[in-house]
Amino acid sequence: MEKCILFRPKTSLRCPLLVYSSGYGDDRYILSRSVYLLKSSDLNGPRYWLFKLQEKENGDIVLHSLFLRRNTDEYRCSYPTFSLDLLRCQVFELAQEHLACSEPCEGKVEGRIGFMSLDAENNEFMVLGRLPFKGPAVYRSIDGSWTELQITQPVSFEGIVSYKSKFYAIDLTGRTIVVEPTLQLHTFQRSRPSYKTRKRWLLNSGDKVLLVEMCTERRADFFIPNIREKKIWFKVSELDVERNDWNQVEDVDDRVLFLEQYCSFSCLATEIQGGVNPVRCTAE
């Protein structure tokens, strides 16, 4: 596929961290990857394409695996060659993935972050992540510095999303952490916790925020990557902003959910006809 400004992800933004004696974190930048859905009107070939693109530091655009942490250059992967008439295609950007990257002597290190643009030009932004060897913190480009959040108990995020100018993150215990642009924060636990949850994802779906939980009856049944499908089920809940709670739902409004460690997203099932079987929600 030829380079096209239509598919060009946002320019990498610098997000310097505190410098430690080890040198770790002295040159960190934000890497952006974009997930696109392409719909072709060509009746002689595939009608739907779903792919992720990454812009490298030198400006080259490379294909990136949707669900594996690799791109075509880093692992010398080869994809089938094809050509598309973009004049006969519709292109939709479904999601953006943001990662904090640093390159110490042992190689590139990528870390999960939440990203929120504060203006239309993407010049001012906020990042929610972890400082090296420290807890969660927020970086605001307008300040040019990190502010460590005072959160009780150790925190390891399973998911982070931005929604209505706030960050929502969930940790390994199921606690939801809400961070305001003013850096004020509060936390809440869902009123109906599931003690069978083994893994969680947060994602924006349409105008909603969804919490997806993978559950097993016994903890011994949850063993990545060899999870037996018959032993697991999924629960989906919708964020209730007014009540600070998660309400379990029985369907996802005819949407297909794609779940990945750093970049989860959704699209309407009608937009990828014949390509994916949606997962049904199960109530306990």
Side-chain angles (χ1 to χ4, degrees):
M1 181 184 297
E2 295 182 358
K3 285 187 181 180
C4 178
I5 192 65
L6 183 66
F7 297 121
R8 186 172 294 278
K10 303 295 186 297
T11 303
S12 296
L13 301 169
R14 291 286 161 180
C15 187
L17 290 183
L18 300 176
V19 179
Y20 292 86
S21 59
S22 64
Y24 183 84
D26 58 353
D27 185 21
R28 176 163 284 203
Y29 58 94
I30 300 171
L31 181 64
S32 174
R33 301 176 181 132
S34 296
V35 177
Y36 295 97
L37 172 67
L38 187 148
K39 299 169 65 175
S40 172
S41 61
D42 185 359
L43 300 179
N44 297 319
R47 299 289 307 279
Y48 302 91
W49 299 85
L50 190 63
F51 55 90
K52 182 191 293 185
L53 293 182
Q54 171 187 329
E55 182 173 8
K56 299 173 61 180
E57 287 289 288
N58 62 7
D60 289 344
I61 296 179
V62 293
L63 278 171
H64 197 282
S65 171
L66 277 174
F67 301 113
L68 298 175
R69 314 310 304 167
R70 62 184 63 177
N71 63 47
T72 50
D73 279 6
E74 291 173 342
Y75 287 83
R76 298 182 180 178
C77 304
S78 60
Y79 291 92
T81 301
F82 62 92
S83 61
L84 291 170
D85 182 355
L86 294 179
L87 297 178
R88 301 178 64 182
C89 297
Q90 292 178 290
V91 180
F92 305 91
E93 185 177 36
L94 298 182
Q96 278 200 13
E97 167 185 292
H98 294 93
L99 299 140
C101 299
S102 61
E103 301 195 17
C105 57
E106 64 269 19
K108 185 169 71 173
V109 176
E110 296 181 350
R112 182 205 307 272
I113 61 168
F115 180 91
M116 181 172 16
S117 179
L118 299 180
D119 60 18
E121 292 75 27
N122 210 42
N123 293 323
E124 300 297 343
F125 60 93
M126 286 179 59
V127 166
L128 171 62
R130 289 180 65 91
L131 289 167
F133 319 116
K134 288 180 175 285
V138 170
Y139 177 87
R140 296 195 302 186
S141 61
I142 194 169
D143 302 325
S145 61
W146 287 84
T147 302
E148 190 170 3
L149 301 178
Q150 301 303 311
I151 302 178
T152 59
Q153 303 174 357
V155 175
S156 180
F157 294 137
E158 284 201 283
I160 309 172
V161 297
S162 59
Y163 179 68
K164 293 186 176 180
S165 301
K166 300 178 184 179
F167 282 122
Y168 290 84
I170 196 160
D171 67 11
L172 294 171
T173 69
R175 176 178 53 169
T176 303
I177 298 158
V178 187
V179 183
E180 307 270 356
T182 59
L183 302 187
Q184 292 181 315
L185 65 88
H186 66 273
T187 66
F188 65 88
Q189 293 278 2
R190 63 182 306 163
S191 56
R192 295 180 57 197
S194 172
Y195 300 103
K196 299 176 182 179
T197 298
R198 310 301 175 215
K199 186 170 178 57
R200 301 174 179 86
W201 294 267
L202 287 182
L203 69 154
N204 299 98
S205 182
D207 60 350
K208 303 175 181 179
V209 173
L210 298 182
L211 165 64
V212 182
E213 297 172 282
M214 178 189 288
C215 305
T216 63
E217 193 67 37
R218 301 181 308 129
R219 187 168 295 276
D221 293 330
F222 180 73
F223 183 71
I224 296 175
N226 300 314
I227 302 174
R228 298 177 61 185
E229 294 183 5
K230 294 182 180 180
K231 296 287 187 178
I232 65 173
W233 69 92
F234 291 86
K235 291 173 53 179
V236 180
S237 303
E238 179 184 334
L239 175 66
D240 187 329
V241 176
E242 299 299 326
R243 294 178 54 245
N244 283 331
D245 204 353
W246 295 96
N247 299 324
Q248 189 171 338
V249 297
E250 302 303 320
D251 63 69
V252 290
D253 300 328
D254 295 323
R255 301 186 77 89
V256 179
L257 309 184
F258 295 85
L259 306 177
E260 199 264 344
Q261 183 178 2
Y262 293 138
C263 183
S264 297
F265 59 95
S266 74
C267 67
L268 290 171
T270 54
E271 294 178 338
I272 49 174
Q273 298 173 18
V276 175
N277 295 319
V279 174
R280 299 215 175 262
C281 313
T282 303
E284 289 186 331

